[in-house]
Amino acid sequence: MPVLMNFFLAQAQQPSTSVIEKLARTPLHEIVWFAAICTVLRIAAVALMPRVSESHTTGRVLLRILHDASDALIYAAIVVFLLLRPYVLQTFQIPSESMVPTLKVNDWLIVNKFAYRIGDPKFGDIVVFKPPKRALAPWQPPDQDFVKRLIGEPGDLIEIRNSVLYRNGKEVPEPYLNEKAIGDFKLVKYHGELIPIVRFGTGGVPQDSLYVDKVPPREMGTVWDLPSERIPDGYYLMMGDNRNWSADGRVWGLVPRRQIVGRAWFILFPLSRMGSPH
């Protein structure tokens, strides 16, 4: 298991959380409270305005500023946090090197949430999603988002043989990879459960990824010889472009459709990398 553990622990680097990232993740109940406080301030400004004499210019100006500022903040909270963020667009900061060179650490993405409300994710999409619980490192919050490339759709038979990706038996060119991925991969059914199984290097020992308690070591060779299974309805397989340094679906398995947040739509920052990711 040492190769697999090194593969997974390579991801265990806690990213710094910027002020913008914290703001983007502000819980909904805090946004509602913020809008309520701004509403109270706006009402107070309207109520006090007639009581301030025309000659008290400074007081009237301050009340007008308070009124206009609270008004703008209320609309911003409603439009951005209660409409756009949940249903249309959201920002996302890249926390790790798992998608290099397509996406780099600290790139800022605009994530299109609406795209998957009117259609399903497709092979090759760069997807932001909520990972399975077993994929989270101890320091990561339960609502952590991941970003990977969608490699398998429902019904697909996905295998990596001799470090080459095959989809439904056909070799898939992967020009987006940082370097040639090392190892083999497939999904197999073991005791009625679909599990990912990987093998690093030619003739390497098969390992059952994060399902280490599922397959006894003495059975690994037998399990590897089981036939590859197709991805079931309602599930997707994600992998990183920097595949040798990406803990992804090969390690922790499939992602349910309901946990897919949206499609990576546009690199917003840095300006030198602004544009659509591919």
Side-chain angles (χ1 to χ4, degrees), residues 131-204:
K133 290 182 179 179
R134 58 182 168 270
L136 294 171
W139 47 263
Q140 290 177 308
D143 64 343
Q144 177 73 46
D145 292 329
F146 278 17
V147 58
K148 307 287 183 186
R149 190 179 295 272
L150 195 156
I151 296 298
E153 301 178 49
D156 280 347
L157 185 71
I158 301 296
E159 299 173 296
I160 297 178
R161 303 195 301 264
N162 297 320
S163 302
V164 176
L165 177 67
Y166 290 85
R167 182 183 184 218
N168 300 321
K170 297 181 180 180
E171 182 177 340
V172 178
E174 295 191 279
Y176 43 75
L177 289 184
N178 188 42
E179 57 186 354
K180 187 176 181 180
I182 300 172
D184 301 338
F185 160 84
K186 62 181 177 178
L187 293 167
V188 300
K189 188 165 288 185
Y190 178 75
H191 289 177
E193 182 175 0
L194 201 61
I195 66 170
I197 187 167
V198 292
R199 181 172 62 183
F200 292 95
T202 303

Side-chain angles (χ1 to χ4, degrees), residues 4 91 99 111 116 134 147 151 167 174 184 246 260:
L4 177 62
T91 58
M99 283 296 292
V111 180
Y116 296 149
R134 58 182 168 270
V147 58
I151 296 298
R167 182 183 184 218
E174 295 191 279
D184 301 338
S246 172
I260 293 179

Side-chain angles (χ1 to χ4, degrees), residues 9 112-113 151 184-185 203 218:
L9 291 174
N112 183 345
K113 292 184 169 185
I151 296 298
D184 301 338
F185 160 84
R218 65 181 181 276

Side-chain angles (χ1 to χ4, degrees), residues 27-194:
L28 181 60
H29 72 273
E30 293 184 14
I31 298 300
V32 173
W33 273 110
F34 175 77
I37 292 170
C38 289
T39 301
V40 171
L41 292 175
R42 182 178 180 278
I43 293 173
V46 172
L48 289 173
M49 187 69 75
R51 303 182 184 182
V52 178
S53 65
E54 294 287 346
S55 60
H56 202 308
T57 307
T58 302
R60 294 184 68 85
V61 168
L62 291 175
L63 285 174
R64 175 55 62 184
I65 291 173
L66 177 62
H67 175 277
D68 292 347
S70 58
D71 203 35
L73 290 171
I74 291 168
Y75 285 114
I78 292 172
V79 172
V80 175
F81 289 96
L82 302 184
L83 294 177
L84 289 181
R85 187 179 73 170
Y87 303 110
V88 184
L89 300 173
Q90 183 175 336
T91 58
F92 178 82
Q93 186 179 25
I94 302 301
S96 74
E97 297 180 348
S98 70
M99 283 296 292
V100 169
T102 308
L103 299 171
K104 298 183 179 181
V105 176
N106 293 327
D107 278 358
W108 275 96
L109 287 178
I110 296 178
V111 180
N112 183 345
K113 292 184 169 185
F114 188 69
Y116 296 149
R117 292 183 178 276
I118 60 176
D120 289 323
K122 298 298 182 183
F123 176 84
D125 285 357
I126 300 174
V127 177
V128 175
F129 58 95
K130 303 291 183 186
K133 290 182 179 179
R134 58 182 168 270
L136 294 171
W139 47 263
Q140 290 177 308
D143 64 343
Q144 177 73 46
D145 292 329
F146 278 17
V147 58
K148 307 287 183 186
R149 190 179 295 272
L150 195 156
I151 296 298
E153 301 178 49
D156 280 347
L157 185 71
I158 301 296
E159 299 173 296
I160 297 178
R161 303 195 301 264
N162 297 320
S163 302
V164 176
L165 177 67
Y166 290 85
R167 182 183 184 218
N168 300 321
K170 297 181 180 180
E171 182 177 340
V172 178
E174 295 191 279
Y176 43 75
L177 289 184
N178 188 42
E179 57 186 354
K180 187 176 181 180
I182 300 172
D184 301 338
F185 160 84
K186 62 181 177 178
L187 293 167
V188 300
K189 188 165 288 185
Y190 178 75
H191 289 177
E193 182 175 0
L194 201 61

